[in-house]
Amino acid sequence: MSDTHAQTVSFVRETQLPPAPPPTAQTGVVKWMRENLFNGIWGTLLTLISLYAIYSILAGVMPWLLNGVWNTSNIRECREVLEGATGGCFSVLSERWNQLLFGIAYPRAEYWRPTLAFILLFVAAAPVLFPNLLPRKLLIFTGLYPFVAFWLIWGGTILSPIVALAGFVVGYIVFQRFVAQSFAAGFFGAIAAAVVTWWLGGIIAGLLAPDQPWLSRVASRDMGGFMLNMILGTVCVSLSLPIGIVLALGRQSKMPIIKWICVIFIEFIRGVPLITLLFVANVVLAYFLPPGTNFDLILRVIIMITMFAAAYIAEVIRGGLAALPRGQYEAADSLGLDYAQAMRLIILPQALKISIPGIVNVAVGLFKDTTLVSIISMFDLVGMIRGPILASTDWNGVYWELWAFAALLFFVVCYGISQYSQWLERQLATDHR
């Protein structure tokens, strides 16, 4: 600045001013609310309507929750305690919790067995759900868990789960022996070997079974409550995934008989309502069995639900297989891999990664569909509420508390499955193939 200009102004700042804070309306909570809640006239109007709706719901629900009664023995005592005030009769949950969770006939002294099986379920599932965080040796327990859980819940001789495990081991050995020659020979040979092992093992177990087993036997008709929903959901989802993979591969097979068997099975099952299959399992299937045959009802229901879910999962996986470029199949052929190796090492890992959202969607729907067994007189959680509890004079008229409890249990399980699938998709980066 020249001396002439400096003499014409009264003050010249020689240092820079510190930066001023942004306006209050352009930062923090105020900025977020302006951008997300009150962004324009229509945004403000929708926000106000939404806030009023939330307030109306909370104004009705919170007094019902906070004034709830938990320690009465029937609905009449509950109403006397409330004296006309708004409040829920949650005493039905504290008095009938055992029926809601374990059914009406499961021995009360044996509740520790399904509880222990439920806790071990998380231990068994952890190595599969989080393979990069846990040692692979834990997969041994994962493979043994279905047989341990069966023995804990149903009880009886321990020879039964051992024979079932032996059938799978023999089938796996036969599969490994013949799969190098032909995948079909290994697959069907494994099934035949497993069936023969179970048949012979059943005869031997019947001869060697002790009269007083370590765990008392509980009949399938005594299973009930949310435990029955968990059994059906866990078993059917676990079985339907590998069967769905086999059906999807079979539908793409170049062998016409295998292909058309899979196509007819998938299309027939998808075209029939699940409730129809459950009625077949409960009533019609008995007419095709030899007289005197006692085919367990839960096993029949598991077979039908598994068939139903496997058909849908097969179509989901077929979509994943169709999404793979032809070059992946040609790359497997160029490496000299046979059919089983190409599917196991190259094709299926990519197809299953693509199919995760669809598979999870089928699994969530399948778990909720387990409540349909209440229509064929099985006392699952919904069946217990509709039957023994609401039919009793003590709790006839208590609806919201029971159905809200059932909805909460199913929501926790389904939301957990959904969150895990989203975490798995992020780990596998399914959006960056």
Side-chain angles (χ1 to χ4, degrees), residues 19 42 48 98 123 155 171 174 177 201 219 234 275 282 327 337 346 358:
W42 291 107
L48 294 177
N98 56 330
V123 180
V174 172
R177 174 66 178 81
T234 306
I275 188 63
N282 186 35
L337 302 179
I346 295 180

Side-chain angles (χ1 to χ4, degrees), residues 181-204:
Q181 303 174 8
S182 170
F183 179 79
F187 179 74
F188 291 107
I191 294 177
V195 170
V196 171
T197 303
W198 289 330
W199 178 63
L200 295 176
I203 297 176
I204 296 173

Side-chain angles (χ1 to χ4, degrees), residues 164-176:
L165 175 62
F168 283 101
V169 172
V170 172
Y172 178 75
I173 294 173
V174 172
F175 177 79
Q176 290 294 327

Side-chain angles (χ1 to χ4, degrees), residues 1 6 27 65-66 165 198 247 265 332 349:
M1 182 178 295
T27 184
L65 285 175
L66 298 178
L165 175 62
W198 289 330
L247 290 173
F265 176 86

Side-chain angles (χ1 to χ4, degrees), residues 43-259:
T44 303
L45 182 61
L46 289 175
T47 299
L48 294 177
I49 294 174
S50 301
L51 291 176
Y52 177 75
I54 294 173
Y55 168 76
S56 300
I57 294 174
L58 292 179
V61 172
M62 294 309 294
W64 179 71
L65 285 175
L66 298 178
N67 296 332
V69 179
W70 292 84
N71 54 1
T72 57
S73 59
N74 55 60
I75 189 173
R76 294 175 293 277
E77 293 183 8
C78 181
R79 288 172 177 170
E80 291 176 0
V81 172
L82 289 173
E83 295 180 345
T86 301
C89 290
F90 297 108
S91 303
V92 64
L93 303 180
S94 59
E95 201 216 9
R96 300 295 180 98
W97 66 270
N98 56 330
Q99 296 180 2
L100 293 169
L101 297 181
F102 300 103
I104 196 171
Y106 202 90
R108 197 182 185 96
E110 307 294 335
Y111 283 169
W112 66 272
R113 287 160 50 180
T115 304
L116 179 59
F118 180 72
I119 295 173
L120 292 178
L121 172 63
F122 293 96
V123 180
V128 180
L129 301 180
F130 308 102
N132 297 328
L133 304 178
L134 297 172
R136 295 180 62 83
K137 291 182 179 179
L138 290 177
L139 289 173
I140 298 176
F141 179 75
T142 303
L144 296 176
Y145 173 76
F147 311 99
V148 175
F150 171 81
W151 185 54
L152 284 174
I153 296 175
W154 271 268
T157 174
I158 197 173
L159 295 176
S160 298
I162 292 177
V163 169
L165 175 62
F168 283 101
V169 172
V170 172
Y172 178 75
I173 294 173
V174 172
F175 177 79
Q176 290 294 327
R177 174 66 178 81
F178 292 101
V179 70
Q181 303 174 8
S182 170
F183 179 79
F187 179 74
F188 291 107
I191 294 177
V195 170
V196 171
T197 303
W198 289 330
W199 178 63
L200 295 176
I203 297 176
I204 296 173
L207 296 175
L208 300 179
D211 296 332
Q212 298 293 331
W214 293 340
L215 297 180
S216 60
R217 181 167 181 76
V218 180
S220 294
R221 63 177 179 275
D222 295 338
M223 306 291 168
F226 192 64
M227 176 183 67
L228 180 58
N229 296 108
M230 287 295 298
I231 292 173
L232 295 177
T234 306
V235 174
C236 294
V237 169
S238 302
L239 294 178
S240 60
L241 181 58
I243 296 176
I245 294 174
V246 173
L247 290 173
L249 296 178
R251 185 160 187 169
Q252 290 193 332
S253 174
K254 297 179 181 178
M255 302 174 66
I257 297 179
I258 300 298
K259 178 178 180 178

